[in-house]
């Protein structure tokens, strides 16, 4: 009997239903995988099939004001690997062993990186060109050579483009700073303008199989190109920076400065910093190396010294065995920029501010009379002057020239505590300057009123602290016509398309009048030009330098720790530069700023003015320095040579009995002071060399006569009044006992004793 239609339907329906349900489930799963999770799975597949890495952006350059490159990045290689390739090739031990001596890394450390559970691993960043070439040579298989076995191959090792920071001139490390492991700024301008300098990294992808191994026929694809960082142009002048660093470096050793030195050169009209230095410093190309700084620190570790010459020297710490804590402390001190971070008592350099405020408030005029017995009693205190015998009767102008404490105490009293603090604030000494450097320090001053004694000591620069950048900014306002300028160290930020941001000079407020400023310039010029004033050792003929000395106490007053300082500016009638130098804890007997810092600043200013092409300005009582070129008198008759030499304003010594000049010393073309000596020879006899005498301690007359008697030429070197009876020589350009040719010029530097 045939099955009924209903029976057939009953049997088919469940089957159809099951098929439809199955199709619905399949469709649902398709929708789930393709639509709901499709994008996610697609991305996961892409991630599995490709590897990516970042392409470092070229960091922008840092220039000085004249376009000299102070910091730049050079293209180098970073060594990377794909640990999955290394695993497939089973070559980790071989690769680690070969790379270790080339990149100077421990074999076990390299193998640890090669066997990481990842498809991308950095082995060493920014390897040298020599390292890259050596590794490439190992990786290269010549065409006529058999390919190496898997365990002898470098499969999985790659190079990535990277950049390394260089500082070509090796100057201004505290300004420029340095970069870190990831090419990010860590100190100085590199840190302050890190976002501008860094640029934007790019990305590259590489095709891989499902195991994360790089495909043999890989195709690199750039997802985005790296964008180079912007350039930063500083107000710094590389040449002036070099001058400043040279003089501070010499001072470090000559004066045995236990806590180093700092200096700033600024344009007082604009607030632009032309140079800034802290010594000792570090190498921005190798900023973590503490060896030289540690040596400097150890030479002043008096706890390891003995007064007994027979005693065995105490052992010093081995630089290789310093604790991590000690290394960190040394680096932090080495990187610290004293010029902006450290506050100190300015001492007598602050008298410029007190004097300007007193003149502006008309509580004194330049001819007011004062009397100094060597001290002044304030409340229950007897405050001494630097001159224990006293200066006697003196005018206000003479009081500034003498740096007389009693005069300035009286000025403070005439101003009163309230007005004194108003000017302290107006000159910007209660706030940070905002200069574009990290770590700027703050001043320490009286916030809750001043006692009578506080006012007295503050008037001559003690009892409070300011930073060097605050002080030079305030003094610039005194000499530039009366306006306080914001100090700046950056001129502009730019890229290939032009200037992105420009930093113009900014006047913050007027503190004193043009008339007061002019009067202060005239008085401060006399502090230097007068041979009896405290700043006489900064004098340079024709430079018209004004300035003020300072010797401040530090720490416990009885420990005799001192900071010797000097602030100078030139030309005094229209200042182009102002310079502040502080010498921290000199370990020699004479610790006065007038003796140590003043001549340094004078010589520095002379070099800077010559470099800037500022013409000499001689006063009525100054005889210009005249140099004359040595004529060539060889092959002339004796009479002709005599006439030529005399016409040049030179003197001569004749050697030999011949009729014709065959040789002369010094050689023709050299420039000598008028009335210098040249030696004329009428035969071929080889000139006998002269032994240089010891000139230290002599005055100008004795030094010149001593050299002339030996057939040597004399020249005054360095800053300071040298022509006065109490000036004594402290240094000579050629060491004692060295043998030189007749006619050689010996430069001699002179000083006068000075106090502040």
């Amino acid at each position: 009997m045939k099955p009924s239609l209903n029976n057939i339907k009953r049997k088919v329906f469940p089957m159809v239903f099951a098929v439809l349900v199955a199709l619905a489930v399949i469709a649902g799963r398709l929708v789930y995988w393709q639509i709901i999770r499709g994008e996610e799975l697609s991305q996961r597949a892409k991630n599995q099939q490709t590897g990516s890495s970042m392409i470092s952006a070229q960091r922008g350059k840092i220039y000085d004001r004249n376009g000299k490159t102070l910091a730049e990045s050079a293209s180098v290689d970073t060594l990377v690997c794909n640990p999955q390739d290394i695993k497939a090739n089973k070559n980790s031990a071989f690769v680690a062993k070969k790379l270790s001596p080339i990149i100077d890394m421990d074999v076990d450390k390299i193998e640890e990186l090669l066997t990481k559970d990842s498809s991308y691993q950095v082995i060493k960043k920014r390897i040298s060109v020599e390292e890259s070439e050596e590794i490439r040579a190992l990786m290269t298989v010549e065409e006529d050579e058999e390919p190496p076995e898997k365990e002898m191959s470098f499969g999985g090792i790659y190079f990535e483009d990277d950049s390394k920071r260089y500082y070509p001139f090796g100057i201004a490390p505290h300004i420029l700073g340095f970069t870190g492991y990831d090419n990010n700024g860590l100190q100085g301008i590199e840190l302050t303008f890190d976002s501008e300098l860094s640029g934007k990294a790019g990305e590259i992808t590489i095709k891989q199989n499902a195991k994360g191994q790089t495909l043999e026929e890989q195709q690199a694809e750039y997802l985005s190109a790296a964008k180079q960082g912007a350039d930063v142009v500083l107000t710094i002048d590389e040449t002036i920076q070099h001058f400043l660093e040279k003089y501070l470096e010499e001072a470090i050793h000559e004066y045995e400065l236990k806590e180093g030195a700092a200096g700033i050169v600024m344009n007082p009209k604009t607030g632009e910093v032309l140079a800034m230095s802290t010594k000792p410093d570090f190498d921005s190309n190798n900023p973590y190396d503490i060896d030289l700084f540690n040596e400097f620190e150890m030479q002043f570790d008096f706890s390891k010294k003995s007064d007994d010459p027979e005693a065995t020297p105490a052992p010093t710490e081995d630089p290789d065995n310093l604790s991590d804590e000690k290394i960190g402390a040394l680096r932090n001190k080495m990187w610290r920029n004293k010029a902006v971070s450290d506050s100190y008592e300015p001492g007598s350099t602050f008298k410029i501010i007190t004097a300007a405020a007193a003149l502006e408030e008309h509580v004194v005029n330049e001819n007011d009379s004062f009397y100094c017995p060597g001290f002044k009693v304030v409340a229950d205190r007897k405050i001494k002057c630097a001159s224990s015998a006293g200066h006697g009767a003196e005018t206000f102008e003479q009081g500034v020239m003498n740096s007389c404490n009693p005069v300035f105490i009286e000025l403070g009293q005439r101003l009163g505590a309230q007005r004194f603090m108003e000017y302290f604030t107006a000159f910007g000494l209660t706030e940070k300057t905002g200069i574009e450097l990290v770590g700027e320090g703050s001043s320490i001053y009286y916030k809750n009123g001043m006692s009578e004694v506080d006012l007295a000591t503050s008037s001559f620069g003690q009892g409070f602290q300011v930073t060097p950048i605050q002080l030079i900014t305030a003094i610039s306002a005194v000499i530039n016509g009366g306006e306080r300028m914001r100090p700046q160290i950056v001129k502009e930020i730019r890229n290939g398309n032009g200037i992105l941001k420009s930093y113009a000079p900014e006047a913050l407020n007027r503190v004193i009048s043009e008339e007061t400023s002019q009067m202060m310039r005239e008085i401060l010029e006399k502090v230097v030009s007068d041979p009896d004033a405290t700043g006489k050792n900064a004098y340079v003929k024709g430079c018209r330098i004004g300035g003020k000395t300072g010797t401040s106490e530090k720490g416990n007053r009885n420990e005799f720790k001192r900071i010797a300082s000097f602030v100078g500016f030139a030309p005094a009638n229209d200042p182009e530069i102002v310079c502040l130098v502080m010498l921290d804890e000199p370990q020699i007997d004479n610790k006065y700023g007038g003796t140590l810092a003043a001549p340094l600043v004078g010589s520095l200013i002379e070099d800077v003015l010559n470099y800037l092409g500022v013409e000499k300005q001689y006063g009525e009582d100054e005889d210009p320095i005249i140099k004359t070129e040595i004529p060539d008198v060889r092959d002339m008759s004796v009479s002709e040579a005599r006439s030529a030499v005399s016409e040049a304003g030179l003197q001569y010594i004749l050697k030999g009995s011949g009729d014709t000049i065959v040789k002369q010393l010094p050689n023709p073309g050299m420039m000598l002071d008028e009335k210098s000596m040249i030696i004329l020879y009428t035969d071929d006899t080889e000139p006998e060399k002269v032994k240089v005498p010891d000139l230290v301690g002599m005055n100008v007359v004795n030094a010149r006569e001593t050299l002339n008697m030996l057939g040597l030429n004399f020249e005054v070197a360095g800053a300071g009044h040298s022509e006065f009876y109490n000036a004594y020589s402290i240094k000579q350009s050629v060491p004692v006992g060295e043998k030189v040719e007749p006619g050689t010029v010996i430069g001699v530097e002179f000083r006068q004793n000075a106090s502040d």
Side-chain angles (χ1 to χ4, degrees), residues 311-500:
T312 303
T316 58
E317 291 183 86
D318 183 350
D320 295 328
N321 295 325
L322 293 174
S323 67
D324 291 343
E325 184 179 2
K326 177 69 172 177
I327 291 173
L330 282 171
R331 283 177 177 157
N332 286 334
K333 187 174 181 180
M334 179 175 71
W335 296 335
R336 189 174 179 85
N337 186 352
K338 289 172 72 75
V340 300
S341 298
D342 289 5
S343 62
Y344 73 112
E345 289 189 356
S348 294
T349 54
F350 185 80
K351 291 173 179 174
I352 295 175
I353 306 299
T354 304
L359 285 171
E360 184 69 13
E361 289 297 311
H362 304 292
V363 298
V364 71
N365 64 60
E366 56 187 324
N367 296 316
D368 271 5
S369 297
F370 296 84
Y371 185 83
C372 171
F375 64 90
K376 190 172 182 68
V377 176
V378 179
D380 60 344
R381 293 272 301 276
K382 183 179 180 180
I383 302 176
K384 296 179 180 179
C385 185
S387 173
S388 57
H391 296 105
E394 56 187 338
T395 64
F396 164 70
E397 182 178 81
Q398 290 169 331
V400 178
M401 293 164 62
N402 294 331
S403 195
C404 178
N405 285 350
V407 169
F408 282 88
I409 292 172
E410 187 164 336
L411 293 182
Q413 291 172 338
R414 293 183 185 183
L415 282 168
Q418 182 176 341
R419 278 194 292 184
F420 183 91
M421 282 308 302
E422 286 174 357
Y423 276 93
F424 195 88
T425 302
F427 275 110
L429 299 173
T430 60
E431 60 187 33
K432 294 181 180 181
T433 66
I435 192 168
E436 305 97 331
L437 291 171
V438 295
E440 182 178 2
S442 301
S443 57
I444 301 172
Y445 65 103
Y446 301 99
K447 294 182 179 180
N448 300 315
M450 304 172 71
S451 70
E452 197 176 348
V453 173
D454 293 337
L455 178 59
T457 57
S458 295
S459 68
F460 55 83
Q462 290 189 9
F464 64 88
Q465 295 186 11
V466 294
T467 63
I469 189 66
Q470 284 178 315
L471 184 61
I472 195 171
T473 301
I475 290 173
S476 292
V478 173
I479 63 173
N480 71 6
E483 287 191 319
R484 178 166 67 100
M485 305 298 296
R486 184 184 300 281
Q488 65 175 106
I489 205 164
V490 175
K491 283 182 71 71
E492 62 190 29
I493 300 171
R494 68 190 188 196
N495 62 15
N497 297 321
I499 296 174
L500 302 177

Side-chain angles (χ1 to χ4, degrees), residues 63-205:
Y63 295 100
D64 87 332
R65 66 187 299 112
N66 300 312
K68 295 180 181 178
T69 303
L70 302 181
E72 62 183 335
S73 296
S75 295
V76 292
D77 289 321
T78 281
L79 188 63
V80 301
C81 70
N82 183 340
Q84 302 307 317
D85 292 347
I86 301 291
K87 182 179 179 180
N89 292 330
K90 299 179 181 179
N91 60 345
S92 60
F94 166 75
V95 172
K97 181 180 177 181
K98 290 293 185 180
L99 291 179
S100 177
I102 299 176
I103 63 176
D104 192 25
M105 278 181 67
D106 182 70
V107 173
D108 293 337
K109 177 62 178 176
I110 296 175
E111 190 161 10
E112 179 186 339
L113 296 172
L114 296 177
T115 55
K116 289 275 189 181
D117 186 19
S118 68
S119 59
Y120 175 82
Q121 185 64 48
V122 174
I123 301 174
K124 188 174 183 180
K125 278 182 172 284
R126 294 183 283 279
I127 61 178
S128 68
V129 174
E130 292 75 19
E131 289 171 337
S132 292
E133 290 176 350
E134 200 168 342
I135 295 170
R136 290 180 195 278
L138 287 175
M139 297 170 66
T140 302
V141 178
E142 300 294 338
E143 290 183 3
D144 58 349
E145 292 181 358
E146 290 293 325
E149 298 296 329
K150 279 189 175 181
E151 63 269 15
M152 297 295 287
S153 76
F154 277 80
I157 301 296
Y158 308 101
F159 293 100
E160 283 185 353
D161 292 336
D162 205 341
S163 61
K164 185 175 182 180
R165 204 65 164 161
Y166 289 99
Y167 303 88
F169 287 95
I171 62 168
H174 289 97
I175 297 173
L176 300 176
F178 53 89
T179 57
Y181 182 77
D182 294 318
N183 240 357
N184 56 313
L186 294 182
Q187 291 283 341
I189 293 295
E190 295 279 25
L191 174 56
T192 306
F193 292 89
D194 185 53
S195 59
E196 290 84 353
L197 289 163
S198 292
K200 187 177 180 180
E203 187 177 3
I204 186 174
T205 63

Side-chain angles (χ1 to χ4, degrees), residues 519-539:
M519 188 177 297
M520 284 301 303
R521 292 195 300 268
E522 292 171 355
I523 293 173
L524 292 172
E525 183 176 9
K526 293 177 182 177
V527 170
V528 174
S529 63
D530 192 304
D532 293 321
T534 54
K536 55 197 167 190
N537 285 318
Y539 171 79

Side-chain angles (χ1 to χ4, degrees), residues 689-746:
K689 290 196 172 182
V690 181
K691 192 174 182 180
V692 176
D694 186 355
L695 305 170
V696 173
M698 294 184 183
N699 60 29
V700 167
V701 174
N702 291 338
R704 179 184 282 113
E705 289 179 351
T706 300
L707 291 173
N708 289 166
M709 286 174 61
L710 295 171
L712 299 173
N713 281 307
F714 166 86
E715 182 178 70
V716 174
H721 286 281
S722 58
E723 67 273 22
F724 293 89
Y725 69 93
N726 58 345
Y728 56 94
S729 60
I730 62 160
K731 193 187 302 182
Q732 55 194 74
S733 62
V734 182
V736 176
E738 186 171 318
K739 291 189 174 182
V740 298
E741 289 187 328
T744 297
V745 177
I746 310 296

